[in-house]
Structures are given as C-alpha cells and as structure tokens.
Amino acid sequence: MTPTLYRERSVQKRRLRVIMTTSQAHTAVAVLGTGTMGAPIARNLHKAGFDVTAWNRSPAKAAPLSEDGVALASSPADAVRDVSVVVTVLKDADAVLEVLDAAAEALRPGTVLVQISTVGVEGITRIAEFAVSHQLRLIDAPVQGTKGPAENAQLVVLASGADSDRDAVEPVFDAIGKKTLWVAGEPGEASKLKVVVNSFISALTHGIAEAVRLAEALEIDAEDFQKAIHGGPLDAPFGSIKLDAILNQQFAPSFTVDNAIKDSRLVAEAAENAGVWLPVADAGLERYRAAAATGHGGDDMAASYFAESTVEESTHAF
C-alpha cells in the first residue's frame, strides 16, 4: 500500500502537551534495549515525566541510566511487569522476538507494544503475530535519526497502528521526537515506509562516498566538490554531514556500517519479495559489505568511502 495519510504536529504544541499531561507522570513504560538509541530514548521519556524501567542484555550498558532516575530491571519480564507501554529498541526482528518471548509471562493483555526497531517487512509481520497471540496492542514505529537526534529528542517517528491507540502513544512520541508521521493502515505499513526511506539513505551515502573517490582519482580537490554542491539544489543536510565526515576523516559512528548492512539487506529482501528490480540497492549492500571487509564495520556508514572492489577490474569499451 502506498502511504497517503500523515499527521504532523508543531514541536511547541507537542512539547507543551508532554509537560502538561498529568496522567503520563504516572504512566509506566518499559524500554527494552539501551544501546545507542535506547538509552537516550529512556532518558527522554523519564525527563518527560514517564515512570521508566529499562533493561539491556548487557547490564553495564544500562547502568548509567540509574543516575538519571531510570529504574533498571534484571530481566525483560521484570521490566514489563505492570507497565502500560513497552518500547523495544533492539537490533532486528529476531532480537525483538527473543526478548519479547523472555518477557511473555509478565506481559498483560492490552499492553501497548511500541516497536521502534528497524525490522523490515517480514520482521514486522512476525512481531504482529506475536502481538496478536499475546493480546498486545501493537504500534509499529521505526524512527529516522541516529545518536544525535535520539539524544536531543529530535527523532522522526514513522507510525502505524489502530487509530484507537494513538492517544496512548503520542505522548511517548512527543517525548522522543520532533515529528510523528502516521501512515494509513495496520501495523507494518510504517516499517514498509522505513524500508523505502532506508533505500534512499543508502543511495545518498554511497553517492557521496563514490563522488569523493572519483574526485580523488581525477586529482580534483574533494573540497571543490563540496563547494560545488553547497547551498544549491543538490545540497542535503544528511549528505553534508557524511561528506564532512569523509573530508575530515572522522568516522565516529552515528550509525555503523554493520548496521547499514542489516538495513540494506532488509531493503533487498523487501524488493525481492515485492518483485521489483533495485540494482542500486543491491550494489549498495555489496559496497557496505566491502567497507566492512576492510575493517570499517564499526565505523560510521560514511566509511562506505573505504570500500574496495573484491573482483578484478575489467576493461570496458565505450
């Protein structure tokens, strides 16, 4: 289904509602997964007045949250017991389902499950089946944004689910993001849109990386490439960030190459299952894999710049 319905609210109005809603100060929320995205999400929910309990597979990673007033649980079941909303911020669908299985005995029927992870089309189908079997109210809500936006509550939330559940989750989204875009249809439509967005992110990242490599090969100053597109119709904030990273050789991860491989694989799988030919997406996946093979899997996705061909170059006649 092509997404056609969306709703955006101004940051000012939404922030006021987060601050002024008395009931949410007593709303118990469990955050499962406190990595790069999950930890700041838990902090921002706590700052907004939610009663937050967090769990992470590696307790040491979750420990700093206790200093911010977030309660820590020793198991997924302990985290979700007696809460109204469960937020999963985990690597992929397998991780989400593994953790939900571990929490199953403590999940109450009617609990709202907010699935924030990027899990792909097939993955969200499996999570939806789990939600139905355990009588959970699923909101599919993958987010756009990486470490910085998560820390600053500037994520863009792509959401789909029952209209009747929106009021329950919009304060949550207000606390972690700057915009919520509701996609028409059942849970899963937002994950479809996220796959589409990720196909664009991959193309833009690799386009920047390859342009710099070509400039260097042609002995053109890559900063002249930067100047050529800066301020014009080809300039894009995301592209500028990745171009700056490459030019300054600063690859501290906002989103790693390894994670980009996972997301690109979800794009390729969705395209194959939908019967659409996406050669650029396929090539992008291979480029990320090539970058990881050079030892840059843990670096920012801009390290696509380091990818090297694994096949012998051939001579082409033009």
Side-chain angles (χ1 to χ4, degrees), residues 97 100-101 113 121-136 138 187:
L97 288 168
L100 288 177
D101 279 335
L113 172 60
V121 177
E122 186 271 339
I124 193 61
T125 299
R126 290 191 286 138
I127 293 169
E129 291 171 351
F130 178 96
V132 170
S133 67
H134 291 77
Q135 302 179 58
L136 307 177
L138 175 62

Side-chain angles (χ1 to χ4, degrees), residues 95-248:
V96 171
L97 288 168
E98 179 184 349
V99 171
L100 288 177
D101 279 335
E105 56 92 7
L107 285 168
R108 296 182 302 175
T111 298
V112 178
L113 172 60
V114 180
Q115 193 298 116
I116 281 180
S117 310
T118 298
V119 297
V121 177
E122 186 271 339
I124 193 61
T125 299
R126 290 191 286 138
I127 293 169
E129 291 171 351
F130 178 96
V132 170
S133 67
H134 291 77
Q135 302 179 58
L136 307 177
R137 297 150 58 194
L138 175 62
I139 297 292
D140 180 28
V143 296
Q144 289 177 238
T146 51
K147 181 179 180 181
E151 291 174 342
N152 296 311
Q154 293 292 293
L155 296 168
V156 174
V157 182
L158 310 178
S160 61
D163 290 348
S164 58
D165 291 331
R166 291 188 183 187
D167 287 344
V169 297
E170 282 183 336
V172 172
F173 297 156
D174 291 344
I176 68 174
K178 66 177 180 180
K179 181 174 77 172
T180 298
L181 188 154
W182 283 97
V183 185
E186 298 298 317
E189 297 304 305
S191 279
K192 291 179 183 178
L193 178 57
K194 182 64 188 298
V195 168
V196 172
V197 171
N198 282 350
S199 71
F200 174 71
I201 291 173
S202 177
L204 186 56
T205 302
H206 294 312
I208 292 291
E210 291 193 358
V212 175
R213 291 297 293 266
L214 180 59
E216 293 171 346
L218 297 176
E219 299 183 349
I220 294 292
D221 189 338
E223 290 189 0
D224 284 340
F225 163 58
Q226 184 181 43
K227 293 173 184 176
I229 64 174
H230 179 68
L234 299 179
D235 200 0
F238 177 84
S240 294
I241 291 170
K242 298 311 176 188
L243 180 54
D244 284 341
I246 293 171
L247 295 182
N248 294 306

Side-chain angles (χ1 to χ4, degrees), residues 23-30 50-53 81-86:
S23 61
Q24 81 181 43
H26 305 288
T27 299
V29 179
F50 290 95
D51 181 7
V52 183
T53 301
R81 204 178 306 277
D82 298 325
V83 303
S84 301
V85 179
V86 175

